[in-house]
Amino acid sequence: MRIRGGFTLLLVALFISACNLRRPQVTLTLAPIETSTLAPIDATAAPELAETATLTPSMTSSPIATVTEMPSATPASPTATETAAPSPTPILPPTSTPTSSATAAEDDTPTATSPPTADGLRPTLTFPPTMDDTEVAQLLATRPPLPTQPADGTAASPPPLTAATASTPVLTRSADSDQLIDSTPLGTPPPAEVGVRERLPPPSPTLFQPTVAVRPEWIPPTISVESLVPPFGVRGASVFQYNVDADQAFSFPDIPPLAGGVRLFLPNPIDANSWVRTDHFGIVRFRPIDAAQEGMITRSPYHEGYAVPSIDVNKNRVVELDWSADGMQFSFRIDPPQGTDTSNAGVWFWQPIVDPAHGAAYAVIRDCPADGHLSCQLVNRVGNPWQWQTRGVQWSPIRGSNTLLLTVRLTAKGRNALALVEATRDTNYARQQPRFVRYDYGYWNPNGQGIVVSGRRPDDIVIIGEVNNDWSGERVILNGSERGLWLRDAVRRPNGEIFALGRKGKPGSGPVALFDSAGVQLTPFIGDAAPEDLRWFPERDAALVSVRGRQYVVEVDSRRVTDVTDRLSDPQFEARAPAVASGLTGLIENSQYAPGEQLRLLQPLNIRQEPSTARPPIGSLQTGDYIAILAGPHRDSRYVWWQVQTASDVIGWIAGQIDGAPTIGQF
């Protein structure tokens, strides 16, 4: 019995020994990770990692458990290195589990385990949760993938909070703002511990941010300040009748606020730092070329210390201003209110010869609208007509010319006429009645050679025509009377096109619309009555029509009619870039930055197709990203915008300044 039992024990021992020979022996050691333990990344299988997957030296100092398999007579299973599919995670050696596969090698990272137990049994291995994209990126020392900005302009949704990311602030960006805000939920718990040993803080990744490969062909030419399209107010300023009270500030680009209110304002065509205006009381104030400050006329028709309590009692009330083509002289038309002294009624001009700070003024025509006016006593009236009142003044477009084209109302005849006068320093010149030619309306050709006439000619036939500068050689362009049309204020544009205002019917019978030289109506009617006054912008691309106290702008190219009365009552003209931002096709000269200059972002920013938060973002940039300046600046109420090229060759607009704080600069 004892022998049989001993033999049984011997068989059991031999069986156990045979099993131990077939089972692989496992030892656990702690060793630093070497770069060589990671298989090279296949650039074709994972192109998004081919250029950025690098190992930082700081990663080699963290101890981690490795598994070493003892030699065995049984052929080993294929390793993960031989069979691993493309993955952004490092490839690990196989575990001692015989069923380990490529999937396990890709997804699992073993942690340190306890040493073998005294009974010789194999220790139990534990694994942390699968690594997320952020941990993988930190391991590879690359930047985590950024959320993309949707095309509709909404902010990209942040990734869901996990144990690995819960302590990281979540930055979100609203569609109408160019700043990122911290939207991390309050009370977010710290990341949970994983494994049996304390997790060391991950090393800070080294981020590589490429510079911009600036393409010279993408840098547009620099824009001169003079070539900028001026904002509303400067363009056509001579035609507008403003209504700014004495206690309101009135300013234009590059011109400081002007005191005393403004009625009329006209910038010098040669020098933007020179202007002429009337204040709230209708008194002329001006700043000539090279003058340090505004001046006043202190000679006739004014005098030293001239002042009035209101515009309604100003006998020298100015209702029109015009510069000469060379910007060296200007004219002003005086139309006194009823019940005041009318001796100075008419057109005067100023020359900076006697006194550059104040100068002297001379009359070129004295109006005599009706018998009994004091001005009628200062002019020699010869022949018929006997009464007239000036309605419009135009300097010749030829630089250096002193010739003025006047439109006058023949008050006793009920119709208009034209006259040519000279600006001369002769106190007796205006004593002579000028020659009146009976065309209702006339405007200089752009080159100053010839005058476009319209309305009734001397025989009362309504035409659009053209005459020489001495009133000879009439050429009819359109006979309005044959078409049953009333046509007025016809002009020739620089491109040769001719436009006029008119309607079907008789003069003064109702509101007018824009017509071309073939008699085709182009716009709806302007206002609800016949115009009280009509003036073309200097560029002849729009006209201002005054109807029953309202002011309308009719645009030739767009065929649009706009009521601008309220804008003129409270103008908001600040020093700013052109209103149409897309019109900025280059960098404005003498700007803060140079064309192609490379800068870096001081904070995350949206990049947009146009310089406006109303336009959806086309992407986003991060702190430290490089950009190159292409165009700008464009300013609005909160932002200073610049068009830039990014390192990935995206072109768009970013807010380089927000509420006065810079968002781009040199690092």
Side-chain angles (χ1 to χ4, degrees), residues 223-300:
I223 300 175
S224 64
V225 177
E226 292 78 9
S227 66
L228 292 176
V229 178
F232 175 84
V234 172
R235 176 176 175 267
S238 61
V239 303
F240 293 129
Q241 300 282 326
Y242 302 102
N243 187 21
V244 182
D245 292 334
D247 58 350
Q248 288 183 279
F250 183 91
S251 63
F252 279 74
D254 303 321
I255 294 176
L258 304 176
V262 171
R263 291 282 179 176
L264 305 173
F265 185 89
L266 184 61
N268 193 304
I270 303 302
D271 184 358
N273 292 317
S274 170
W275 65 83
V276 59
R277 69 175 176 110
T278 63
D279 60 19
H280 185 62
F281 304 100
I283 301 174
V284 173
R285 299 177 182 271
F286 60 97
R287 180 177 178 178
I289 295 176
D290 296 331
Q293 58 187 8
E294 271 192 338
M296 292 180 60
I297 298 174
T298 57
R299 303 170 185 265
S300 181

Side-chain angles (χ1 to χ4, degrees), residues 204-497:
S204 300
T206 301
L207 302 181
F208 173 72
Q209 291 164 313
T211 58
V212 181
V214 181
R215 302 190 182 186
E217 67 272 17
W218 288 4
I219 300 178
T222 302
I223 300 175
S224 64
V225 177
E226 292 78 9
S227 66
L228 292 176
V229 178
F232 175 84
V234 172
R235 176 176 175 267
S238 61
V239 303
F240 293 129
Q241 300 282 326
Y242 302 102
N243 187 21
V244 182
D245 292 334
D247 58 350
Q248 288 183 279
F250 183 91
S251 63
F252 279 74
D254 303 321
I255 294 176
L258 304 176
V262 171
R263 291 282 179 176
L264 305 173
F265 185 89
L266 184 61
N268 193 304
I270 303 302
D271 184 358
N273 292 317
S274 170
W275 65 83
V276 59
R277 69 175 176 110
T278 63
D279 60 19
H280 185 62
F281 304 100
I283 301 174
V284 173
R285 299 177 182 271
F286 60 97
R287 180 177 178 178
I289 295 176
D290 296 331
Q293 58 187 8
E294 271 192 338
M296 292 180 60
I297 298 174
T298 57
R299 303 170 185 265
S300 181
Y302 297 98
H303 57 76
E304 190 74 42
Y306 182 85
V308 293
S310 74
I311 193 173
D312 297 329
V313 297
N314 182 7
K315 69 176 184 177
N316 292 322
R317 180 185 66 180
V318 173
V319 297
E320 183 179 355
L321 299 169
D322 295 277
W323 278 104
S324 62
D326 59 7
M328 299 303 297
Q329 308 170 82
F330 65 82
S331 62
F332 54 97
R333 178 164 63 91
I334 294 177
D335 181 16
Q338 288 185 347
T340 62
D341 183 355
T342 61
S343 58
N344 293 328
V347 178
W348 299 67
F349 82 99
W350 172 89
Q351 284 184 326
I353 295 179
V354 177
D355 184 350
H358 303 287
Y362 300 86
V364 297
I365 184 174
R366 292 187 181 272
D367 286 344
C368 178
D371 291 339
H373 276 243
L374 295 178
S375 57
C376 294
Q377 302 175 14
L378 301 175
V379 60
N380 297 322
R381 292 183 288 175
V382 292
N384 197 12
W386 292 96
Q387 292 91 23
W388 63 90
Q389 183 178 24
T390 310
R391 292 292 184 88
V393 181
Q394 300 173 60
W395 286 79
S396 167
I398 300 175
R399 290 195 178 188
S401 173
N402 288 334
T403 303
L404 293 84
L405 174 62
L406 307 180
T407 301
V408 300
R409 183 68 175 175
L410 303 179
T411 53
K413 301 294 183 179
R415 61 162 298 168
N416 289 352
L418 303 177
L420 289 171
V421 296
E422 294 292 322
T424 179
R425 294 172 56 81
D426 182 353
T427 56
N428 294 319
Y429 180 83
R431 289 186 175 273
Q432 302 299 320
Q433 174 187 316
R435 175 193 176 190
F436 298 118
V437 181
R438 298 189 186 189
Y439 289 101
D440 282 327
Y441 303 96
Y443 290 84
W444 293 106
N445 274 328
N447 59 5
Q449 301 300 318
I451 300 169
V452 175
V453 294
S454 57
R456 291 169 294 185
R457 67 183 186 183
D459 59 3
D460 288 341
I461 294 177
V462 177
I463 66 167
I464 295 176
E466 190 173 30
V467 297
N468 297 326
N469 290 13
D470 61 358
W471 306 113
S472 66
E474 179 190 276
R475 298 170 295 281
V476 176
I477 298 170
L478 175 64
N479 189 321
S481 294
E482 291 180 350
R483 304 279 296 273
L485 296 176
W486 164 244
L487 300 166
R488 55 173 289 176
D489 292 282
V491 295
R492 185 187 299 276
R493 300 185 67 188
N495 63 5
E497 295 178 322

Side-chain angles (χ1 to χ4, degrees), residues 19 125 152 160 167 186 316 461 525 574 613:
C19 292
L125 298 179
D152 59 2
S167 63
L186 297 177
N316 292 322
I461 294 177
F525 288 110
E574 304 289 341
T613 55

Side-chain angles (χ1 to χ4, degrees), residues 39-53 85-89 91 140:
I41 293 176
D42 184 356
T44 62
E48 69 278 8
L49 298 177
E51 296 180 0
T52 59
S87 171
T89 59
I91 302 173
L140 296 178

Side-chain angles (χ1 to χ4, degrees), residues 503 509-512 525-531 547-548 550 552:
R503 62 170 293 115
S509 58
V512 297
F525 288 110
I526 305 165
D528 57 0
V547 180
R548 293 184 176 178
R550 307 294 298 180
Y552 302 88

